[in-house]
Amino acid sequence: QNDHTALLANSEFDEQALLDTICALSLHDPPPPPERPPHHFVCPITTQVMDDPVLLNTDAGRSYERSALVEWLRCSPCRDPVTGVESRDPLSYAPNRSLKEAIVEWQRR
């Protein structure tokens, strides 16, 4: 311990410079948390941001990731994935181009 004390006493140790550096580092703002996607960008089946959104032709008017919806409709062709409402006829869907554009724009930010 005496060796360390002697080394500090004899060295050009600048305590104030060290404190200034530590304080400067602690004053930096932490990085912002990742922005959560708007809820309508997230597929209700996969719970992930959609890459290829399609609009299910039901009264609910929800969009889904195409691949997830295709798989859902393969098993339950007449049932809405979210509401569970049964249709007399098999459900259909169409690309949701405006939602796709909005998601792409959001991802570019």
Side-chain angles (χ1 to χ4, degrees):
Q1 185 175 14
N2 288 341
D3 291 337
H4 295 296
T5 306
L7 180 61
L8 288 174
N10 294 329
S11 69
E12 295 181 16
F13 179 71
D14 187 349
E15 184 177 354
Q16 187 59 47
L18 178 61
L19 288 173
D20 290 345
T21 302
I22 292 170
C23 288
L25 290 173
S26 66
L27 292 176
H28 290 295
D29 291 333
E35 185 180 345
R36 293 184 62 161
H39 71 278
H40 58 282
F41 288 5
V42 176
C43 173
I45 298 172
T46 67
T47 68
Q48 301 294 314
V49 173
M50 291 178 273
D51 183 55
D52 186 11
V54 293
L55 182 64
L56 185 60
N57 293 323
T58 64
D59 290 338
R62 285 189 178 85
S63 290
Y64 300 85
E65 179 63 36
R66 180 187 302 266
S67 60
L69 184 61
V70 166
E71 182 62 24
W72 173 272
L73 294 176
R74 188 180 66 75
C75 298
S76 302
C78 299
R79 182 175 297 193
D80 184 300
V82 171
T83 66
V85 172
E86 287 277 346
S87 170
R88 282 185 277 163
D89 300 316
L91 298 173
S92 61
Y93 57 90
N96 191 336
R97 290 182 183 92
S98 60
L99 181 57
K100 171 69 174 177
E101 290 171 9
I103 291 170
V104 168
E105 182 63 32
W106 175 78
Q107 289 172 328
R108 286 183 182 154
R109 292 190 280 138

